[in-house]
């Protein structure tokens, strides 16, 4: 579906008329982004709720093409017009700037558009062109030369806009990712165990996901939905002693030792999953990564064909969602392991709607640097491409060369990945963990994960600094994983 946002840059323009004109030319539906709830949500600082709701409404339309009526500048509500950029990003829509003027000074019109263009500087590829209503429409060609933008005519006399109908999706937005994730998780209808029942953030997240623990919920004043199931761990231990001894018989596990280990709620939750009593597990708010993963490796084992367990974070950046791996599990992966991490991360990204373009990150781009660390990334890239020639995997690439189009073009011209990477694979845990946390905290973005890859059943680890919304989305990820693993 091609989506075009009409973004007015002047008062007096009929955004409705412009949207209808483009809709007629593109055989598209018109969608009004602003409704009675918009200002209320924005005033409450709930932009994400608005964007998520809009993504859901657009999905429900099931339109072949869509023209979105953007927000017209209003002197009393200047903050609203500034939301057109975020609106376009959230819906992955190309932007057509629209103004109305009778000014016969082409330079002045061009300056107005060039000033507006600055709002889109950090979102390359978003602007598609402009229209002018009023007498200034006669200056369109001159303005196009001075702005570098395509001139599409005026609302009452559009020029050829057929190229807009061919516009393809360029990025998965955070709003689209969140909507897809919750929608997929709801439809999956999986049973997820949360062994950290006394941890307040987990309880709050569980309440949102209809899983909570009664004692902490009452203490925190959290209302309990009728659909929840609360389990006292002490009542379950005995039924898992024998199955656990069977799974660990090669290690000589005794019933007495099994009972002791099952006092750990993570071990107990893992056994519940091993016996198919639950579909997935989320832990880590108060447990270390090792304490979360170790029982899974002992009792669940790796998936067929998987050589290791790794992780990936989904980073919900303002412009799009990127996948970062491995930022939680493997300290110093060998080239062979790094290749497998790249493949696992690409497959995870694809499973959640991201077109995987994999950059193997290093302090060197192509041959700009040398040394053992660079050689390891070169070897890993080679191995990954040999194993999965169907994937776009390139390296070594520096972070900026991987993610910034202009730098990617300069440092790696002709690359299918440089400047447009959606999956970034870091050379070691030190680099990956520091990078994801620096991006998450400094840019104030939501990171979803870590999603563990390579296990036979989904077990997912939380950062001990996880926010409630981090836990909610990790539970949703786990539900989707569980459904996918069932085929």
């Amino acid at each position: 579906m091609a989506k075009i946002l009409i973004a007015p840059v002047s008062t007096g323009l009929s955004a409705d008329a412009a949207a209808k004109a483009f809709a007629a030319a593109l055989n598209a539906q018109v969608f009004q982004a602003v409704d009675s709830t918009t200002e209320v949500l924005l005033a409450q600082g709930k932009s994400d709720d608005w964007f998520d709701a809009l993504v859901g409404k657009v999905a429900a339309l099931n339109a072949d093409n869509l023209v979105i009526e953007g927000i017209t500048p209003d002197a009393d509500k200047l903050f609203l017009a500034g939301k057109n950029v975020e609106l376009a990003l959230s819906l992955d829509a190309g932007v057509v700037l629209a103004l109305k003027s009778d000014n016969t000074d082409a330079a002045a019109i061009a300056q107005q558009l060039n000033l507006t263009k600055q709002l889109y500087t950090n979102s390359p590829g978003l602007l598609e062109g402009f229209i002018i209503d009023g007498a200034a429409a006669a200056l369109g060609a001159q303005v196009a030369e001075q702005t570098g933008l395509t001139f599409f005519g005026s609302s009452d006399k559009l020029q050829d806009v057929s190229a807009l109908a061919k516009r393809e999706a360029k990025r998965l937005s955070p709003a689209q990712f969140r909507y897809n994730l919750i929608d997929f998780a709801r439809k999956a209808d999986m049973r997820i165990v949360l062994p950290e029942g006394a941890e307040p953030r987990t309880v709050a997240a569980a309440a949102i996901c209809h899983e909570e623990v009664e004692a902490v919920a009452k203490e925190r004043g959290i209302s309990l939905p009728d659909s929840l199931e609360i389990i006292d761990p002490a009542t379950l231990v005995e039924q898992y002693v024998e199955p656990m001894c069977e799974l660990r018989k090669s290690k000589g596990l005794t019933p007495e030792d099994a009972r002791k280990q099952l006092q750990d709620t993570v071990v107990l939750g893992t056994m519940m999953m091993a016996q198919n009593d639950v579909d997935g597990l989320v832990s880590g708010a108060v447990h270390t990564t090792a304490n979360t993963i170790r029982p899974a490796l002992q009792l669940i084992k790796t998936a067929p064909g998987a050589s290791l367990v790794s992780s990936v974070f989904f980073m919900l950046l303002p412009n799009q969602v990127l996948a970062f791996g491995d930022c939680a599990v493997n300290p110093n992966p060998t080239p062979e392991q790094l290749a497998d991490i790249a493949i696992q991360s690409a497959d995870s990204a694809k499973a959640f709607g991201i077109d995987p373009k994999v950059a193997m990150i290093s302090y060197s781009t192509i041959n700009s640097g040398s040394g053992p660390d660079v050689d390891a990334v070169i070897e890993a890239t080679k191995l990954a491409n040999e194993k999965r020639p169907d994937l776009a995997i390139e390296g070594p690439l520096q972070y900026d060369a991987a993610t910034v189009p202009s730098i990617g073009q300069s440092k790696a011209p002709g690359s299918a990945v440089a400047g447009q990477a959606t999956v970034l694979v870091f050379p070691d845990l030190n680099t990956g963990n520091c990078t994801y946390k620096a991006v998450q905290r400094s840019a104030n973005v939501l990171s979803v994960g870590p999603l563990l890859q390579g296990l036979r059943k989904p077990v997912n680890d939380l950062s001990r600094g996880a926010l409630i919304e981090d836990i909610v989305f990790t539970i949703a990820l786990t539900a989707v994983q569980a459904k996918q693993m069932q085929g």
Side-chain angles (χ1 to χ4, degrees):
M1 174 173 62
K3 288 174 282 191
I4 302 299
L5 173 74
I6 306 301
V9 299
S10 64
T11 58
L13 178 109
S14 173
D16 178 65
K20 287 179 178 177
F22 273 88
L26 297 171
N27 190 27
Q29 293 188 46
V30 174
F31 177 72
Q32 290 187 327
V34 176
D35 59 24
S36 59
T37 67
T38 301
E39 288 188 37
V40 175
L41 290 172
L42 293 179
Q44 294 174 347
K46 296 181 179 179
S47 293
D48 286 351
D49 291 349
W50 178 47
F51 295 140
D52 291 359
L54 291 178
V55 168
K57 291 177 181 178
V58 168
L61 289 175
N62 195 29
D64 291 331
N65 293 313
L66 195 69
V67 176
I68 302 147
E69 186 178 322
I71 305 169
T72 301
D74 183 328
D76 295 326
K77 301 172 184 177
L78 291 177
F79 72 96
L80 277 178
K83 290 294 179 181
N84 277 329
V85 179
E86 296 174 67
L87 183 59
L89 287 170
S90 294
L91 298 176
D92 191 23
V95 174
V96 174
L97 302 177
L99 65 87
K100 182 176 182 179
S101 177
D102 291 326
N103 193 335
T104 57
D105 185 347
I109 299 295
Q111 182 174 350
Q112 186 176 4
L113 287 176
N114 282 329
L115 286 171
T116 303
K117 279 177 61 178
Q118 301 312 306
L119 296 173
Y120 298 84
T121 300
N122 295 324
S123 308
L126 212 58
L127 286 176
E128 297 290 345
F130 68 98
I131 63 169
I132 303 178
D133 286 353
L139 307 172
Q142 297 177 54
V143 174
E145 290 181 7
Q146 296 178 50
T147 61
L149 295 172
T150 300
F151 177 51
F152 290 118
S154 59
S155 294
D156 59 357
K157 191 176 182 181
L158 288 181
Q159 298 179 8
D160 183 19
V161 297
S162 59
L164 296 179
K166 300 175 184 177
R167 187 181 191 275
E168 297 181 353
K170 296 184 178 181
R171 60 180 66 84
L172 181 70
S173 72
Q176 187 70 61
F177 179 85
R178 289 190 297 264
Y179 173 82
N180 289 349
L181 180 55
I182 298 303
D183 186 50
F184 293 164
R186 187 181 295 116
K187 293 175 180 176
D189 193 25
M190 294 288 103
R191 198 170 180 223
I192 308 302
V193 62
L194 308 175
E196 297 172 320
E199 204 289 313
R201 289 166 298 164
T202 301
V203 174
I208 296 170
C209 299
H210 285 190
E211 301 277 351
E212 53 185 9
V213 180
E214 191 169 26
V216 180
K218 287 180 178 178
E219 178 186 340
R220 296 276 164 167
I222 301 170
S223 61
L224 304 176
D226 295 335
S227 58
L228 67 84
E229 181 179 3
I230 302 170
I231 301 172
D232 179 0
T235 65
L236 298 180
V237 169
E238 201 58 38
Q239 75 183 72
Y240 292 109
V241 171
E242 184 178 341
M244 187 170 177
C245 288
E246 178 63 25
L247 286 172
R248 301 285 287 160
K249 63 183 179 182
S250 63
K251 300 297 182 180
L253 184 69
T254 66
E256 181 180 357
D257 288 337
R259 289 187 184 91
K260 290 180 180 177
Q261 292 185 31
L262 286 166
Q263 299 304 311
D264 183 330
T265 54
V266 176
V267 175
L268 179 62
T270 305
M271 273 305 304
M272 293 174 70
M273 189 165 51
Q275 294 300 107
N276 298 317
D277 293 328
V278 295
D279 303 300
L281 179 147
V282 174
S283 179
V286 292
H287 289 81
T288 65
T289 296
N291 286 341
T292 298
I293 297 177
R294 187 183 302 110
L297 291 174
Q298 293 174 342
L299 303 170
I300 300 298
K301 312 293 185 183
T302 55
S307 64
L308 82 169
V309 174
S310 67
S311 72
V312 67
F313 281 90
F314 295 102
M315 307 297 293
L316 276 60
L317 303 177
N319 283 11
Q320 68 181 122
V321 180
L322 300 179
F324 283 13
D326 171 9
C327 303
V329 181
N330 297 282
N332 294 292
T334 64
E336 291 78 10
Q337 291 173 326
L338 198 57
D340 286 345
I341 290 169
I343 292 169
Q344 289 179 344
S345 299
D347 286 340
S348 291
K350 188 173 183 179
F352 287 91
I354 299 172
D355 180 20
K357 295 181 180 180
V358 185
M360 307 294 282
I361 300 300
S362 170
Y363 61 78
S364 170
T365 293
I366 310 301
N367 58 2
S368 66
S370 61
D373 291 339
V374 176
D375 292 341
V377 175
I378 292 173
E379 178 64 16
T381 305
K382 176 185 175 185
L383 292 171
N385 279 309
E386 289 175 351
K387 288 184 177 182
R388 289 290 300 275
D390 59 304
L391 295 173
I393 304 175
E394 292 188 14
L397 292 171
Q398 292 160 292
Y399 190 101
D400 58 353
T403 58
V404 181
S406 59
I407 298 176
Q409 178 62 28
S410 172
K411 292 189 173 184
S415 169
V417 172
Q420 49 188 321
T422 56
V423 180
L424 287 82
V425 178
F426 297 96
D428 52 54
L429 185 57
N430 190 42
T431 306
N433 193 269
C434 289
T435 301
Y436 110 77
K437 287 189 175 179
V439 171
Q440 178 192 33
R441 301 303 180 186
S442 298
N444 192 30
V445 300
L446 177 66
S447 66
V448 179
L451 178 82
L452 296 184
Q453 309 168 135
L455 286 167
R456 189 167 54 86
K457 291 190 175 183
V459 173
N460 284 315
D461 177 45
L462 298 165
S463 165
R464 276 170 284 175
L467 304 175
I468 292 172
E469 61 181 346
D470 297 335
I471 301 174
V472 169
F473 284 118
T474 302
I475 293 169
L477 279 176
T478 307
V480 176
Q481 264 190 304
K483 186 67 174 180
Q484 291 171 339
M485 289 179 179
Q486 288 182 358

